[in-house]
Amino acid sequence: MAVCVAVIAKENYPLYIRSIPTENELKFHYTVHTSLDVVDEKISAMGKALVDQRELYLGLLYPTEDYKVYGYVTNSKVKFVMVVDSSNTALRDNEIRSMFRKLHNSYTDVMCNPFYNPGDCIHSRAFDNMVTSMMMQVC
Amino acid sequence: MEQGPGGAAAGGAGLLLPLSDTEQQRYSELFSLCCSPAPEGGSAPAPAAGGSKVGDLFRASQLPADTLHQITELCGAKRVGYFGPAQFYVALKLIAAAQSGLPVRIESIKSELPLPRFMALKNDIEMRYGNAAEILGVKFQIPHPILEKNSFRRSDEGDKKETKSPPMSPMCSPPASPSNYQRIPLSYGYGKSRSKLEQPHGVSYEARHSTHQQDGPATGNYGSKSALVHSSLSRFLSVESEPQDSSNYPDDPWRITEEQREYYINQFKSLQPDLNSLISGSVAKNFFTKSKLPIPELSHVWELSDVDCDGALTLPEFCAAFHLIVARKNGYPLPDMLPETLLPDYLQPASLKPKRDCALLDSYSESLSVSQQTRDFNRTELETVCEDPTNSEPLILFDVATSIVEPTSVEEMPDKSALTQDANSDDNQALNISTTTKTIPKDFKPSQHLSVKTVVQESNTLKARPRSRSYSSTSIEEAMKKGEEPPMPPPRPQKSHSRASSLDLNKIFQQNTQAVKSGWLPPPPALPPRPFVSQTEQVSEIELHPQMNRAPSQTEESSPMRKEILLTQPPSKPIRRKFRSENQMLENQELTPTSSVTSSLPAVKPHLPAQNRQSSKQKRAIQTAIRKNKEANAVLARLNSELQQQLKEVHKERIALETQLEQLRPVTVL
């Protein structure tokens, strides 16, 4: 369902970014970048309360006419951003949540790999496969 | 089977061809060797021998080409178009005749002839041994299992081989690195060994021994096969077992052979002595980094092998990771999905086989002209002893698996490793060999797969159990206490009491000593609440309620009341124990001196006789707890009396305080 999936590190640089329509990648990169501001805004707004209570799923960050952008933050300030095609009206919030959960689990598995240095780009095949499974349904 | 082909050969050739036992065995061996490459060849000699392999075999006999042609024509293969058992046997006989110098005629094979000699075989093995470039690689397993299968498919007597092999080896090449060679003749000798005609064939063995190297896969099978056969002799439990294993073996680079597994286990041990716990990610990272594989590949290997994604490697996971790395170093591309044979579920029962000595490890590192990297593995690992990792719950040893697999001799390892080295060097050869010697591994690992197959289910169930057990095994005392709590109610006082009393002893002793030392002086009013109070509380409360004359409201009395509870309970416990008479006596003895303590004691007494009858019945059941109970009884009785005294005094204090309070009250009210 997703058109573009991005994993952004705490320092706001991308660890992993992948989009399905490969010809228009730059547009999605830009979208993800702009959505980071929204993410930060949401984090800071809730951050004054206990961080524990902050929910990981941020919800719809930024709707445009073509697509919607959803966000998800982990407790270590790693952000997942997902761009979804607006034409997929059937996508419900729960589905987005489940997709983020899968992303988070895969990301955790990547982190468990001792050969992965936190902060490196994610090259894990398992992670790629999982993201592909999420994105393939669009095409 | 030997008779049949003999007769068939006769029929095929139009003459009666008597084959001696040795000949028959030998020929059947050779035939199945030539047949085995074809997967469908199976154990039946009916299918025809592969033409190419037969050709190789014939060329190994070092007869001139035209002679071979003659033989081929005579045996009828050309006529029939394939090498059936009959044709093959006749051909072998003709080869023997030709080698003996007899003319290639049908008539010449009617007489008793020595077995045909195949010179070419030796070269093949030498080539393999000579190329010592590779590590324990994937190719190990290919020749090994295959070779084993071959030999055992046709030989039902693994035991006989065992007995024969020792006498065989001395006759052959010197031990050294040619320990492989020692094994080689065995393959030839099997048929003979059975017939106990080793001596006459000693020479021929050596000749064949030397012939090993020359020929291709068919003959190559012999050499490696023999080595493996010999090496795994001790393991053969069932020769014909596990057809499913044989089908899996053939071109499976992802299957871990026995010696590989042992090597991995030894490496695991060097990192983490406890085979049931985990290797942490950092330790594993350092270890695998030594393999000099690029980090992304190592990362991928980790992803594949860490099935439970916990950042640590169990033994099967470690074996899988190591195997993948070894395969990668040998040129096999890493798979995208973990092969089935490397799954921890699959490996787990096998991984818990008997531990090999470090001697094996040393022999591996020496005999293997393994790349320096792996040697670095060995040595550096010995240095990098495990910093012990994040051990999650320890698993329980699977002793079932260990009992099944018989340990292999140390010598076998170097041979195998050497073999595998050479095998690795020739990928193609190895693959060919793998196909041809497929039958061997089936027998090579009958025990292993028996254990694997049979234990897999157990391991699956066992796997779940250790995790649940680990929680409960954290402290025995807790378990004991938990076990005590249910039986607390009066109906089953004995179990709880017997245990609780022993527990109580541990804790009471500390306080008892104080009290005893003080000579029955009142201990400090605030005694630490004992953990068993909760356990004993239930029963004691029931008994004590009638005894409780004081209001429990005050906190001061809560502890004395607890003590009272404890006091009353301990004396009652001994009563409820198995041996009642002694307890009773003890109690009476101790109760009498403390009779003046409180009224609670007399109240307890009436309970005693009733329970004595119960305990008497059970006393017979448990004899071992008598002594403990006696001691506990004595201690508890003493404690009881002490606490009763304390209670008395505390009550006196309370009364005094109350009076003071009353005196003061009118003042405050104003």
Side-chain angles (χ1 to χ4, degrees):
Chain A
M1 330 283 187
V3 174
C4 171
V5 172
V7 177
I8 315 293
K10 180 177 174 184
E11 292 81 13
N12 287 339
Y13 64 86
L15 295 175
Y16 180 89
I17 182 161
R18 185 148 150 236
S19 44
I20 277 286
T22 48
E23 61 273 2
N24 224 357
E25 265 188 346
L26 200 56
K27 182 183 85 173
F28 289 118
H29 287 214
Y30 178 71
T31 309
V32 169
H33 189 268
T34 54
S35 62
L36 286 180
D37 285 334
V38 186
V39 172
D40 282 340
E41 184 188 325
K42 291 207 180 222
I43 297 176
S44 61
M46 303 195 305
K48 283 162 192 174
L50 294 173
V51 178
D52 297 335
Q53 294 176 0
R54 175 166 57 81
E55 197 184 295
L56 302 180
Y57 176 68
L58 300 176
L60 182 66
L61 299 175
Y62 185 76
T64 66
E65 52 195 39
D66 293 332
Y67 47 80
K68 306 188 183 80
V69 182
Y70 292 89
Y72 183 97
V73 186
T74 68
N75 284 326
S76 56
K77 298 291 193 329
V78 173
K79 308 162 188 73
F80 300 120
V81 176
M82 190 185 319
V83 180
V84 176
D85 203 338
S86 291
S87 56
N88 281 338
T89 54
L91 271 182
R92 294 165 50 191
D93 197 53
N94 280 340
E95 293 170 8
I96 306 286
R97 281 178 192 263
S98 70
M99 287 161 73
F100 273 124
R101 203 173 305 122
K102 276 184 3 184
L103 259 179
H104 197 172
N105 287 336
S106 297
Y107 177 74
T108 309
D109 292 342
V110 169
M111 294 298 283
C112 280
N113 189 335
F115 296 102
Y116 171 75
N117 299 318
D120 291 350
C121 291
I122 296 176
H123 294 298
S124 154
R125 279 186 232 182
F127 192 82
D128 284 342
N129 293 340
M130 189 275 308
V131 171
T132 310
S133 70
M134 279 185 358
M135 300 208 294
M136 278 305 289
Q137 303 157 29
V138 177
C139 307
Chain B
M1 164 179 147
E2 288 100 4
Q3 295 294 338
L15 51 80
L16 280 173
L17 182 64
L19 291 177
S20 66
D21 288 347
T22 61
E23 285 177 341
Q24 285 169 0
Q25 287 160 352
R26 186 88 189 87
Y27 293 165
S28 59
E29 282 178 14
L30 294 173
F31 186 83
S32 55
L33 263 186
C34 296
C35 283
S36 60
E40 66 277 8
S43 55
S52 63
K53 296 184 178 56
V54 173
D56 290 339
L57 183 63
F58 287 174
R59 281 190 288 280
S61 65
Q62 290 189 333
L63 293 174
D66 51 351
T67 311
L68 292 175
H69 283 306
Q70 273 184 317
I71 291 174
T72 316
E73 286 176 12
L74 274 177
C75 75
K78 285 199 175 166
R79 185 167 30 92
V80 183
Y82 62 91
F83 268 107
Q87 290 78 27
F88 190 78
Y89 285 36
V90 173
L92 288 176
K93 193 90 178 180
L94 287 170
I95 289 174
Q99 287 176 338
S100 310
L102 297 173
V104 180
R105 295 282 184 274
I106 296 294
E107 299 77 12
S108 54
I109 61 175
K110 288 183 180 175
S111 59
E112 190 78 15
L113 290 170
L115 292 174
R117 297 185 296 279
F118 297 93
M119 309 293 296
L121 292 178
K122 184 182 177 188
N123 284 343
D124 191 42
I125 296 187
E126 261 185 5
M127 284 157 56
R128 276 192 238 116
Y129 298 152
N131 299 332
E134 302 293 341
I135 321 171
L136 291 172
V138 170
K139 290 140 200 159
F140 289 168
Q141 53 195 358
I142 298 174
H144 284 270
I146 293 168
L147 295 172
E148 302 288 336
K149 267 192 206 171
N150 257 351
S151 63
F152 290 102
R153 186 164 289 177
R154 78 179 75 102
S155 65
D156 296 333
E157 316 84 351
D159 301 332
K160 285 186 187 173
K161 292 171 200 166
E162 260 174 316
T163 55
K164 301 305 173 186
S165 56
M168 291 311 303
S169 43
M171 286 163 33
C172 307
S173 51
S177 72
S179 54
N180 315 306
Y181 290 97
Q182 287 181 9
R183 322 295 194 220
I184 293 171
L186 289 178
S187 61
Y188 293 102
Y190 283 125
K192 290 144 199 180
S193 61
R194 291 177 215 147
S195 61
K196 300 174 185 174
L197 292 177
E198 311 160 23
Q199 297 299 331
H201 303 294
V203 175
S204 57
Y205 289 146
E206 288 175 357
R208 284 182 204 106
H209 187 44
S210 59
T211 64
H212 267 302
Q213 306 161 357
Q214 296 169 10
D215 211 346
T219 56
N221 299 338
Y222 292 103
S224 43
K225 168 191 65 174
S226 61
L228 291 172
V229 166
H230 181 251
S231 58
S232 59
L233 284 176
S234 60
R235 284 195 217 144
F236 300 135
L237 298 182
S238 70
V239 171
E240 306 295 336
S241 66
E242 264 97 33
Q244 67 269 23
D245 299 338
S246 62
S247 61
N248 293 336
Y249 270 109
D251 302 309
D252 193 0
W254 307 117
R255 183 174 291 269
I256 299 181
T257 63
E258 182 57 26
E259 68 272 14
Q260 284 177 325
R261 178 177 306 288
E262 290 167 9
Y263 181 71
Y264 301 154
I265 291 176
N266 286 329
Q267 295 296 323
F268 188 97
K269 271 196 227 168
S270 70
L271 293 176
Q272 164 67 279
D274 181 7
L275 285 172
N276 282 328
S277 64
L278 304 169
I279 289 185
S280 74
S282 52
V283 171
K285 177 180 176 179
N286 292 335
F287 178 77
F288 289 131
T289 310
K290 295 177 203 149
S291 71
K292 309 267 176 64
L293 282 179
I295 295 292
E297 293 197 10
L298 290 174
S299 177
H300 185 62
V301 165
W302 177 278
E303 270 184 15
L304 289 178
S305 57
D306 190 9
V307 177
D308 49 8
C309 292
D310 57 356
L313 295 180
T314 64
L315 182 59
E317 288 177 347
F318 178 84
C319 291
F322 207 130
H323 195 73
L324 286 169
I325 288 178
V326 162
R328 182 77 188 99
K329 293 206 73 66
N330 284 326
Y332 278 76
L334 288 177
D336 287 330
M337 296 292 300
L338 191 66
E340 204 180 58
T341 55
L342 290 180
L343 282 174
D345 285 344
Y346 184 86
L347 291 176
Q348 185 135 22
S351 71
L352 298 167
K353 289 182 182 169
K355 325 297 180 265
R356 307 284 186 253
D357 299 332
C358 292
L360 288 180
L361 176 59
D362 297 336
S363 67
Y364 269 111
S365 49
E366 292 164 10
S367 62
L368 295 180
S369 63
V370 165
S371 66
Q372 291 301 322
Q373 296 165 1
T374 53
R375 283 203 188 152
D376 292 341
F377 265 88
N378 301 339
R379 288 166 198 158
T380 47
E381 268 137 18
L382 296 174
E383 297 160 5
T384 65
V385 180
C386 38
E387 351 164 318
D388 242 14
T390 58
N391 291 334
S392 62
E393 341 160 334
L395 297 180
I396 293 186
L397 273 174
F398 293 116
D399 292 327
V400 181
T402 60
S403 61
I404 296 178
V405 178
E406 300 170 336
T408 60
S409 64
V410 179
E411 312 119 16
E412 299 169 1
M413 295 309 144
D415 304 334
K416 284 183 203 168
S417 55
L419 271 177
T420 56
Q421 286 174 22
D422 304 326
N424 290 338
S425 63
D426 297 335
D427 293 356
N428 298 332
Q429 273 193 359
L431 289 176
N432 290 337
I433 292 168
S434 69
T435 54
T436 57
T437 58
K438 225 182 289 175
T439 56
I440 296 182
K442 177 182 90 169
D443 306 321
F444 174 70
K445 291 185 186 178
S447 61
Q448 299 155 22
H449 285 277
L450 275 179
S451 61
V452 167
K453 302 296 178 185
T454 57
V455 182
V456 163
Q457 288 118 14
E458 297 175 25
S459 70
N460 290 335
T461 56
L462 284 171
K463 246 186 177 178
R465 270 188 258 149
R467 301 216 178 103
S468 58
R469 276 184 203 166
S470 65
Y471 296 129
S472 61
S473 66
T474 48
S475 74
I476 300 175
E477 281 189 0
E478 290 174 5
M480 284 176 65
K481 288 179 185 174
K482 287 175 191 171
E484 291 166 4
E485 285 170 356
M488 281 319 297
R492 288 185 190 177
Q494 289 161 0
K495 292 178 193 173
S496 64
H497 288 302
S498 60
R499 280 190 187 173
S501 61
S502 59
L503 273 185
D504 294 345
L505 278 180
N506 297 333
K507 284 157 190 165
I508 291 171
F509 269 128
Q510 300 169 2
Q511 298 158 5
N512 256 351
T513 53
Q514 290 177 2
V516 173
K517 286 174 189 172
S518 64
W520 297 81
L521 291 177
L527 283 178
R530 296 176 206 135
F532 55 85
V533 169
S534 60
Q535 298 168 3
T536 61
E537 243 176 353
Q538 296 178 13
V539 181
S540 59
E541 281 173 0
I542 299 171
E543 300 170 7
L544 292 174
H545 278 305
Q547 305 163 7
M548 297 314 252
N549 304 326
R550 305 138 191 113
S553 58
Q554 298 188 9
T555 58
E556 288 178 356
E557 293 192 329
S558 64
S559 56
M561 294 197 22
R562 276 192 163 187
K563 296 168 208 166
E564 191 177 19
I565 292 170
L566 290 172
L567 283 176
T568 55
Q569 222 185 5
S572 62
K573 283 177 199 171
I575 301 165
R576 294 173 183 181
R577 279 175 218 142
K578 316 336 186 208
F579 62 108
R580 87 194 121 142
S581 59
E582 292 116 353
N583 287 338
Q584 259 185 337
M585 291 177 58
L586 284 173
E587 289 165 1
N588 294 334
Q589 289 169 2
E590 288 163 76
L591 283 174
T592 49
T594 61
S595 58
S596 61
V597 177
T598 52
S599 58
S600 61
L601 282 176
V604 173
K605 277 183 185 175
H607 291 277
L608 303 180
Q611 290 157 359
N612 288 335
R613 292 155 201 163
Q614 295 177 4
S615 64
S616 64
K617 298 174 189 176
Q618 301 179 7
K619 171 190 176 181
R620 300 157 197 161
I622 304 176
Q623 294 290 334
T624 55
I626 289 178
R627 195 177 293 170
K628 285 185 185 175
N629 289 334
K630 282 184 185 175
E631 294 169 0
N633 182 20
V635 171
L636 290 172
R638 264 184 237 140
L639 179 64
N640 181 18
S641 57
E642 291 169 18
L643 291 174
Q644 292 296 334
Q645 275 189 339
Q646 293 175 22
L647 186 58
K648 255 192 172 180
E649 289 160 7
V650 168
H651 284 312
K652 288 175 188 171
E653 289 178 13
R654 180 194 167 192
I655 294 168
L657 287 172
E658 277 181 354
T659 53
Q660 286 181 6
L661 182 62
E662 286 175 2
Q663 292 167 5
L664 293 171
R665 244 183 228 159
V667 178
T668 57
V669 166
L670 292 174

